[in-house]
């Protein structure tokens, strides 16, 4: 009975949100690494959450990461400005020759706090452009994931419409990790295609170029399914091009609530 009641409540909230602004397209910053330049509508709260798993094995040593919660909260403060909060619950374990090492890391990662500004909308050859910046706050993390310093990142986000069904988006920026010297320059590029009004597909290349180590390059692909105008499911699979990741799998949902 509780499950049925929860589903009914979800439908009623979803219908209420849609009736207030049915023209507001649900544009999310998941499941890919490419962030959209668009902000959420003023007064709306967008919840983007999910889970993912990564693995890498070399010389009989296997590193696995389980992220059970990747929640990002996005709130539309102004027409072109949103506030962002994100928090992950992670678990990392190492297996040597099939035996799991006892030092399993587990807990909350540093809280992400940031903003996104929509600079301009698409016009002719000019793409939609946004600017995103984050701080990663050490005091908010569990002991296993608590760094000594605050990490920072920023990126410019761009989006071009190619046709009624397809688009290409890309990000350029940099990040300064908490316990790593120097910057790492980040890039992403993603091609998106609308199979139907509800189903979408994307293919993405992304990576980073640290100043003090070798570059890392990855690719992934995935699908999205719009259940309601303000509720979307997603699934992703990927791996690395350079050494460092054998498998990435991810699934999640995005949900928008209006006042």
């Amino acid at each position: 009975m509780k499950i049925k009641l929860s589903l009914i409540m979800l439908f009623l909230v979803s219908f209420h949100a849609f009736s207030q602004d049915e023209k507001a397209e649900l544009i999310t910053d998941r499941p890919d690494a490419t962030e959209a330049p668009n902000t959420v509508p003023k007064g709306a709260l967008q919840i983007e959450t999910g889970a993912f798993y990564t693995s890498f094995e070399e010389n009989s040593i296997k590193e696995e990461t389980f992220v059970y919660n990747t929640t990002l909260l996005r709130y539309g403060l102004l027409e072109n400005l949103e506030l962002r909060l994100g928090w992950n619950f992670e678990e990392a374990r190492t297996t040597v020759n099939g035996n799991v090492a006892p030092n399993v890391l587990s807990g909350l990662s540093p809280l992400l706090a940031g903003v996104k500004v929509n600079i301009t909308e698409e016009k002719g050859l000019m793409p939609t452009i946004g600017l995103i910046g984050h701080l990663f706050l050490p005091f908010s993390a569990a002991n296993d994931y608590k760094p000594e310093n605050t990490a920072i990142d920023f990126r410019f986000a761009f989006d071009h419409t190619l046709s009624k069904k397809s688009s290409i988006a890309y990000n350029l920026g940099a990040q300064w990790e908490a316990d790593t010297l120097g910057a790492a320059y980040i890039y992403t590029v993603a091609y998106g295609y609308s199979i139907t009004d509800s189903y979408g597909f994307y293919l993405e290349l992304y990576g980073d170029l640290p100043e003090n180590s070798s570059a890392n390059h990855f690719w992934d692909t995935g699908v999205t399914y719009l259940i309601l105008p303000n509720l979307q499911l997603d699934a992703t699979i990927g791996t690395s091009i350079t050494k460092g990741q054998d498998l990435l799998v991810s699934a999640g949902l995005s949900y928008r609530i209006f006042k």
Side-chain angles (χ1 to χ4, degrees):
M1 178 64 72
K2 290 183 178 180
I3 295 176
K4 289 183 178 179
L5 181 59
S6 298
L7 291 173
I8 292 171
M9 291 294 291
L10 176 61
F11 175 78
L12 291 175
V13 172
S14 301
F15 179 80
H16 177 65
F18 176 55
S19 65
Q20 291 192 52
D21 193 354
E22 60 184 52
K23 293 184 178 180
E25 181 183 2
L26 182 63
I27 300 175
T28 68
D29 281 344
R30 63 163 300 121
D32 53 4
T34 302
E35 309 274 23
N38 311 80
T39 55
V40 298
K42 181 181 178 180
L45 174 65
Q46 193 156 300
I47 304 167
E48 303 182 8
T49 189
F52 70 84
Y53 164 83
T54 65
S55 68
F56 175 63
E57 185 170 1
E58 185 178 38
N59 299 326
S60 300
I61 300 175
K62 186 176 184 179
E63 304 284 348
E64 296 177 287
T65 301
F66 302 83
V67 182
Y68 302 108
N69 170 56
T70 62
T71 299
L72 173 66
L73 304 179
R74 304 170 57 193
Y75 178 74
L77 186 64
L78 301 173
E79 292 296 338
N80 65 338
L81 175 66
E82 72 175 45
L83 305 180
R84 300 160 66 86
L85 285 176
W87 225 349
N88 296 345
F89 184 87
E90 305 182 19
E91 182 177 293
R93 69 186 184 195
T94 302
T95 303
V96 182
N97 294 321
N99 300 312
V100 179
N103 57 330
V104 175
L105 304 179
S106 180
L108 291 167
S109 62
L111 177 71
L112 170 155
V115 297
K116 179 194 285 190
V117 180
N118 182 215
I119 298 172
T120 181
E121 296 297 330
E122 186 174 18
K123 186 176 181 181
L125 296 177
M126 176 70 72
T128 304
I129 303 174
L131 175 61
I132 309 164
H134 299 122
L135 298 176
F136 297 83
L137 307 175
F139 65 83
S140 61
N143 288 334
D144 285 344
Y145 291 101
K146 185 175 292 184
E148 294 184 2
N149 305 302
T150 300
I152 301 172
D153 74 12
F154 81 92
R155 66 180 66 192
F156 286 94
F158 306 87
D159 187 271
H160 291 270
T161 300
L162 300 178
S163 69
K164 290 183 178 180
K165 287 184 171 288
S166 64
S167 64
I168 187 167
Y170 51 96
N171 295 171
L172 296 170
Q175 59 189 15
W176 289 261
E177 296 186 1
D179 298 328
T180 303
L181 294 176
Y185 302 101
I186 54 179
Y187 75 91
T188 75
V189 57
Y191 170 77
Y193 184 81
S194 297
I195 302 170
T196 68
D197 289 342
S198 298
Y199 286 95
F201 161 84
Y202 82 89
L203 181 64
E204 178 183 47
L205 176 69
Y206 63 101
D208 61 79
L209 296 88
E211 290 181 326
N212 301 313
S213 60
S214 58
N216 304 291
H217 304 291
F218 307 85
W219 73 270
D220 60 17
T221 185
V223 294
T224 59
Y225 175 50
L226 192 66
I227 299 179
L228 295 168
N230 64 326
L231 177 61
Q232 177 177 279
L233 304 181
D234 61 66
T236 294
I237 187 167
T239 186
S240 62
I241 299 171
T242 52
K243 186 169 65 175
Q245 186 183 94
D246 296 326
L247 177 66
L248 160 71
V249 290
S250 170
L253 62 87
S254 300
Y255 181 62
R256 180 183 290 170
I257 304 171
F258 283 89
K259 291 191 297 184

